[in-house]
Amino acid sequence: MNDAVDVILSQWARARPDLDASPMGIFGRLTRGTRLLSRSAAERLAEEGLELWEFDVLATLRRAGHPRPLSAKELVSMTMVGSAAMTHRVDRLVGRGLVTREVDPDNRRRTLVGLTPEGLALVDRAVEVHVANEARLLGGLDAGEREQLAGLMRKLLLSLDDTLPEGPRG
């Protein structure tokens, strides 16, 4: 059975038989898979009253070791958004009552962002829904295939220097 990328690759083979378009197969599948998986995640999180970006910030705060807050700089380093976008996101989450923003008592130039009790409860519910949805989406792969895919993706991301510090310890 052919997927959508197989069709695209066969079109390139006909249009440009001199071109090795095989890298397009990998990147095309990564792109299409990301879009399909993100759409599914967004739909499930919307049922919990969250947008993907909201979940990303709340989950980052949660896994960093609640109740320890993070600085805005730490939040930016642990997500894939810039400081201006993070400021906007935190503003919106503060407005929803899901996070707090306070001046760091040890360094008045830093702002600390932490989960409110409502934010903690919401992200704890949402992460369960999110993980269950991801497991469902991976249902077409057996455990060995999942492990193999994870290993290959890790290798690719490391080759692209995609690393994070271990993160704050609380």
Side-chain angles (χ1 to χ4, degrees):
M1 175 175 266
N2 289 334
D3 67 9
V5 176
D6 287 324
V7 173
I8 292 166
L9 290 174
S10 68
Q11 291 170 338
W12 275 116
R14 282 192 306 278
R16 288 287 310 273
D18 60 310
L19 181 68
D20 175 13
S22 61
M24 290 177 141
I26 294 169
F27 286 96
R29 287 184 177 94
L30 285 171
T31 300
R32 293 177 74 85
T34 298
R35 287 183 184 151
L36 293 168
L37 297 170
S38 292
R39 183 182 312 143
S40 179
E43 289 169 358
R44 294 305 172 279
L45 290 171
E47 294 169 4
E48 299 300 314
L50 285 172
E51 294 184 41
L52 272 172
W53 69 265
E54 292 173 313
F55 177 74
D56 185 38
V57 175
L58 296 174
T60 300
L61 289 166
R62 180 64 171 112
R63 71 177 187 264
H66 177 76
R68 183 194 181 281
L70 294 177
S71 71
K73 183 177 180 180
E74 289 172 316
L75 269 174
V76 166
S77 76
M78 296 173 80
T79 60
M80 295 184 72
V81 298
S83 59
M86 185 56 70
T87 297
H88 178 70
R89 290 175 180 200
V90 169
D91 287 345
R92 295 207 26 213
L93 290 168
V94 166
R96 286 193 59 191
L98 300 175
V99 302
T100 60
R101 178 180 31 224
E102 300 172 359
V103 174
D104 184 344
D106 298 327
N107 181 348
R108 304 214 32 92
R109 293 175 295 169
R110 283 181 10 140
T111 300
L112 297 176
V113 180
L115 291 168
T116 64
E118 295 80 10
L120 176 63
L122 179 58
V123 73
D124 278 349
R125 278 193 319 271
V127 74
E128 291 177 15
V129 169
H130 184 65
V131 170
N133 185 51
E134 288 181 334
R136 179 187 64 80
L137 293 168
L138 291 171
L141 302 175
D142 65 35
E145 290 167 329
R146 289 180 191 193
E147 188 174 324
Q148 182 181 19
L149 179 58
L152 291 170
M153 294 299 300
R154 181 181 305 104
K155 185 175 182 178
L156 175 62
L157 290 175
L158 287 171
S159 77
L160 298 171
D161 293 324
D162 184 47
T163 61
L164 286 175
E166 272 300 307
R169 301 266 183 231

